[in-house]
Each structure stands twice: as C-alpha cells, then as structure tokens.
C-alpha cells in the first residue's frame, strides 16, 4: 500500500499529543482528588455561575450555599426521571437519595481554581481529539477503522464531559467517579490503538504468534484495568475517612478503610506475579521493541509497588496519591502497546511485505 506522507504523519503527531494530554488530565484529576478540590466548582460547566471563577467569597451572594445545592438537587431529580423512564429505577433511586448531593460546598479559592484548571485541561483535550478526528478523515480511503476509532473516542470524550457534570451534581457520588476513571482508560486504549494502527506498516519485526503469550498479555491488561478501578474505590473510601476526620490524623486512615483496600493490596501481589511471568515470556522473544516496552512495564510496576508500600505505611502522603494513579494508567498504556505491537508483528509473519512511504 502506498500512501502520501503528510496527512498520515499529521494524524500520528496529533494522536500522540492527544494521548499524552489525556494522561496529563488523569494526573491533574488525581491532584484535584488529593487536594479535595473535586467540588471546588459546585456547578458545571460554569464555576459559581461564571466562566471565570471568583477569587473571593465576597463576589458571591450571601445564600450561595443553598443556591448551588438546590441546583444540584434539581439536576439530579431530572436525571433520576430520565433513568426511571429507561427502566433504571434502582439506579435513579440510589443517585437521588444519596446524602452527598445535600452537602453544601463552601467557597475555597485554592480548590476552586484547581478544579477550574482541571476543566480547562479537559476543554483542551476536547479540542485536540476533535482535531484528531479531522486528521483521521484521509484514512476513510485506506483504513476506515482508524477514523471510526477516533470518532468513537470523540463521542466518549463528550460523554465523559457530561459524566463529569454528574460527578459534580451528585457531589462526588462514588460510583460516578469509578465509571469516570474506567471511561478514561477506554479512551486512552482506543486512541493508542488508532495511532499504532496508522503506523503498523513501520513495524518490521515478524514472528509466529503464540496464543499463550497473546492471552497472557490480555490477562495482564484486564488485571491492571481491574486493579485501577479497585484503587479508585479505595480512593473513594479514603476521601470518606478524610472527611469524617476533618483531614487530620492521617496515620489512622488506613485502619478505617474497608474491604476494598485489602482486596487492592492482595490483588497487587497477583498482579506483580503475572507481570513478571509475562516479562519472562516476552524477553524470550529477543525482540528489541517489545523488550524496551517490557522494561518500561517492569520499571513502572516497581514504582507502583514502592508507592503502594509508602502510602500504606506512611500515612498516605497526599503528593503520592495522584502519582500512584498516573503511573498505574501509564502502566496500563504500556501493556496495551505491547499487545498491539505483538499483534501486528505476528500478523506480518503471515503477510507479504508491505511498502510504506513516509
């Protein structure tokens, strides 16, 4: 297949930039959580009713607490009505009856601007992914799947933005935060696959596929995905404990966590074992590209283990919380890249050579 260079290179550049930006947003989101800034803006998409948030409480009406609480309740009532019509009565009941939405959020200029900057990064990603879709249009003539992968990612980012508004309206309802995280990982995976598919012709390695190795890669990816979601639930428990203890006595927080923490800690041992086994299988291939990716996987895994130990035994340092989450998502991304590279490298073993002009 012969292709023109510029449109395809442009797509790869903007695609990679978008993936990096999504990871950066995950880091910023972790900072929002670790600083307790999730409700720094009690409304959405505006912040305290303005596109540029206030810098002092004097800029807000005297009854702003009740006003924004009522706005959240009204929005949740409307959402519950839609869910009822769709047959999700139990889900709507749990959302509307949850006490979180009745908690009033006092103005804090630092938290407000942290959350506001988080939203600005989200807007920037929306623009980037829209450009990614535009630059994927030329692939409609050569590989339609690339265009549709980016278009689906664009739709999911839009849904992610709407879900973000629900996270705010429900005052950080736990289940919405977990879904929010899961969707971010799905978006990352779709974008990574689209970008790698666009340059699969440049993968020169060829070897027969081992179904066992391919399966192990899938198992490791799924296990990491599950571990991240369990970790998100642990983080939700940490937030509850922190609120109950008014942010103090951090050394007591671990003892007050529930079952999710112990599952997360125990599952990490299994995750470490299967990652090491996967690394052993990949290193046996003696492929340079896969070896580099595997080394990065092990490096990130080691960092995660260290971070986890420090957080468990040293009172959950606030600065480590967003780093722990970000490295985990990067680990997921590297594992997924390994799967893609292995898939195309083994696929080429059964195909005739392909000529690609760059």
């Amino acid at each position: 297949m012969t292709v023109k260079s510029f449109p395809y290179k442009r797509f790869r550049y903007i695609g990679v930039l978008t993936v990096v930006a999504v990871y950066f947003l995950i880091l910023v989101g972790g900072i929002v959580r670790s600083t307790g800034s999730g409700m720094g803006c009690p409304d959405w998409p505006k912040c305290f009713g303005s596109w540029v948030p206030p810098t002092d409480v004097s800029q807000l009406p005297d009854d702003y607490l009740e006003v924004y609480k009522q706005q959240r309740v009204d929005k949740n009532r409307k959402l519950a009505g839609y869910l009822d019509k769709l047959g999700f009565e139990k889900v709507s009941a749990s959302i509307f009856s949850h006490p979180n939405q009745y908690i009033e959020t006092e103005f804090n200029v630092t938290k407000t601007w942290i959350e506001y900057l988080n939203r600005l990064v989200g807007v920037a990603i929306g623009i980037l992914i829209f450009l990614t879709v535009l630059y994927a249009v030329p692939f409609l003539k050569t590989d339609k799947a690339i265009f549709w992968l980016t278009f689906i990612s664009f739709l999911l980012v839009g849904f992610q933005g709407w879900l973000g508004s629900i996270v705010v309206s429900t005052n950080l309802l736990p289940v919405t935060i977990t879904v929010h995280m899961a969707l971010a990982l799905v978006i990352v995976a779709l974008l990574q696959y689209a970008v790698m598919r666009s340059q699969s012709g440049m993968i020169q390695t060829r070897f027969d596929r081992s179904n066992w190795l391919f399966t192990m890669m899938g198992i490791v990816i799924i296990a990491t995905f599950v571990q991240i979601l369990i970790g998100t639930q642990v983080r939700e428990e940490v937030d509850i404990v922190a609120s109950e203890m008014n942010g103090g006595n951090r050394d007591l927080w671990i003892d007050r966590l529930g079952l999710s923490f112990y599952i997360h800690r125990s599952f990490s041992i299994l995750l470490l074992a299967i990652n090491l086994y996967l690394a052993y299988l990949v290193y046996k291939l003696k492929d340079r590209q896969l070896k580099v990716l595997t080394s990065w996987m092990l490096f990130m895994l080691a960092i995660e283990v260290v971070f986890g130990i420090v957080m468990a035994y040293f009172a959950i340092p606030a600065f480590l919380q967003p780093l722990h989450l970000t490295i985990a998502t990067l680990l997921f991304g590297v594992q997924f890249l390994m799967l893609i590279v292995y898939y195309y490298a083994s696929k080429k073993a059964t195909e005739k050579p392909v000529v690609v002009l760059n």
Side-chain angles (χ1 to χ4, degrees), residues 181-199:
M181 184 70 253
L183 194 56
L185 294 176
V186 171
I187 292 171
V188 164
L190 288 174
L191 289 172
Q192 285 188 170
Y193 179 56
V195 173
M196 289 299 295
R197 186 180 175 107
S198 72
Q199 55 187 356

Side-chain angles (χ1 to χ4, degrees), residues 279 283 290-300 334 338:
Y283 280 141
L290 282 174
K291 183 178 179 180
V292 169
L293 288 173
T294 303
S295 297
W296 274 109
M297 179 189 76
L298 294 178
F299 176 69
M300 293 177 185
V334 169
M338 290 171 59

